[in-house]
Amino acid sequence: MRMAIDDRWRQAAERVAVPLIALAASSVVFGVFLALVAQVDPLEVYGLMYQGAFGSWFSLQNTLVRAAPLILTALCTALPARLGLVVIGNEGALVAGGVAAASAGLLMHGAAPIAVQLVMAVAGMAVGGLWILAAGWLRHSRGVNETIASLLLTYIAIALMNHLVEGPLRDPQSLNKPSTAPIGEANMIGNLPGTDVHWGLALGVVFCIGAYVLMRHTTFGFAADMAGGNVRAARGMGLNVGRLVAVTCLLGGAAAGLAGMIEVAAVHGRANASLVAGYGYAGILVAFLARHHPLAIVPVAVLMGGISASNGLLQRRLDLPDATVLVLQGVIFVMILAGESLYGRIRVFQPRGA
């Protein structure tokens, strides 16, 4: 019994250590890139990144605002991953959910603000969920690769958003930047008490806790783990794999769709091209870095939000291009994928006697 507990702790430590090793390696590689290509002092860059992300109350709030959509979009990848699905259509679900939420808010014009916000949330979650469900259905019923399907659906969502905000839903007063009509100040989501951080952060944390309970402490989560480990064995035991795929994809897409609704109702006040801010793509990185663990998504999203928040300071102080932090995110993603080969190979984390 004691040996089983020790092995469990070793596995847990390995799941933490390998991503940390990947982050350390990313820092070294990115530092070399800064020194040789950008010709700046890497230590100065990292110092400014910390200052821009966590160095002041203003910076921390900016980081948390950027972390909120990352938490929700990361769930779009993390939940289907329990079934062995690699879904990367987070950006598409966010955009589709944002447009649906803005449309619902305009249709509810004149209703009580709480009713408008609830209808917007339901609309965003429903459309975002159905968007990812489409990729899951194609995989389960037609054998279409869910990674490619979800990525292509993202391009469709962005194209559809552009068509709607530049055509049927366009506000005539939005001249330079085509947008829908504003949902109204009264219908905007407020901030957490005493902060400039909107309630989307709290919703993201609640969703992660709910996802953790669902996937780790229910029979549904146990069934999802079994199907993710061996689909044939799961079917042989009578599990409805199609239902598992549908529910996990629907919930993951709903989380990303809610992120789109929050971007409309808490940040922009309308739907336009600003919805395509890359939060969905960054959410993929957050999910992989967190090893698809719902609770680990929160601190990882804060870290990635801080990297994004520091971008402006790097541009002002060192005149670095806007894509600098994107390079760092790319390096981290590559290192995380490379780190997968380390699991089970680090001697200190191997079971005793192995």
Side-chain angles (χ1 to χ4, degrees):
M1 179 69 176
R2 182 178 180 82
M3 182 175 293
I5 294 175
D6 288 343
D7 288 345
R8 241 190 336 258
W9 277 107
R10 288 172 184 271
Q11 291 173 2
E14 184 181 45
R15 286 194 292 268
V16 174
V18 172
L20 290 178
I21 293 172
L23 284 175
S26 302
S27 300
V28 173
V29 173
F30 185 63
V32 172
F33 167 80
L34 291 172
L36 298 182
V37 179
Q39 296 185 342
V40 294
D41 182 3
L43 295 180
E44 183 181 4
V45 172
Y46 288 134
L48 289 174
M49 290 180 70
Y50 175 80
Q51 183 181 342
F54 309 106
S56 67
W57 178 233
F58 173 82
S59 299
L60 179 59
Q61 291 184 106
N62 189 22
T63 293
L64 294 177
V65 167
R66 294 171 182 265
L70 296 181
I71 293 173
L72 291 167
T73 56
L75 288 173
C76 187
T77 293
L79 291 178
R82 303 293 296 180
L83 283 163
L85 302 177
V86 183
V87 172
I88 60 173
N90 318 38
E91 189 85 355
L94 182 151
V95 170
V99 173
S103 302
L106 295 175
L107 289 175
M108 292 287 292
H109 180 71
I114 185 65
V116 175
Q117 293 167 0
L118 286 175
V119 170
M120 289 178 65
V122 170
M125 292 171 65
V127 172
L130 291 173
W131 209 260
I132 300 302
L133 177 60
W137 177 81
L138 288 171
R139 168 60 189 269
H140 178 71
S141 64
R142 294 292 183 267
V144 178
N145 184 282
E146 76 282 357
T147 306
I148 296 175
S150 58
L151 180 61
L152 294 179
L153 282 169
T154 293
Y155 293 118
I156 294 174
I158 294 173
L160 185 60
M161 182 270 295
N162 289 331
H163 167 72
L164 292 174
V165 301
E166 294 176 9
L169 299 180
R170 180 171 182 172
D171 179 9
Q173 297 183 5
S174 60
L175 301 177
N176 296 327
K177 189 173 187 179
S179 308
T180 64
I183 62 172
E185 190 66 30
N187 298 323
M188 296 289 287
I189 296 177
N191 296 328
L192 293 168
T195 72
D196 290 327
V197 181
H198 55 69
W199 279 96
L201 178 67
L203 289 173
V205 174
V206 169
F207 263 60
C208 282
I209 294 173
Y212 171 74
V213 173
L214 175 66
M215 303 307 290
R216 303 281 178 160
H217 296 283
T218 66
T219 55
F220 177 87
F222 180 72
D225 279 343
M226 290 191 62
N230 191 319
V231 174
R232 290 185 178 180
R235 284 176 177 156
M237 295 182 65
L239 293 179
N240 189 337
V241 177
R243 177 173 154 295
L244 294 172
V245 170
V247 173
T248 52
C249 288
L250 191 64
L251 291 176
L258 180 61
M261 176 269 176
I262 291 171
E263 285 297 295
V264 169
V267 180
H268 305 298
R270 62 185 73 199
N272 53 37
S274 295
L275 286 174
V276 191
Y279 287 128
Y281 299 122
I284 302 169
L285 174 58
V286 171
F288 274 88
L289 189 55
R291 295 284 298 166
H292 307 302
H293 193 294
L295 297 184
I297 283 174
V298 177
V300 173
V302 172
L303 173 64
M304 299 308 298
I307 292 175
S308 177
S310 66
N311 193 28
L313 188 61
L314 293 179
Q315 293 182 62
R316 292 193 301 272
R317 294 286 186 86
L318 300 177
D319 198 28
L320 290 175
D322 183 52
T324 301
V325 295
L326 297 180
V327 174
L328 175 57
Q329 290 179 0
V331 171
I332 292 175
F333 192 63
V334 171
M335 290 299 173
I336 288 296
L337 295 179
E340 292 292 320
S341 63
L342 296 178
Y343 288 97
R345 296 190 177 186
I346 303 178
R347 187 171 185 80
V348 69
F349 298 123
Q350 292 179 357
R352 293 179 180 177

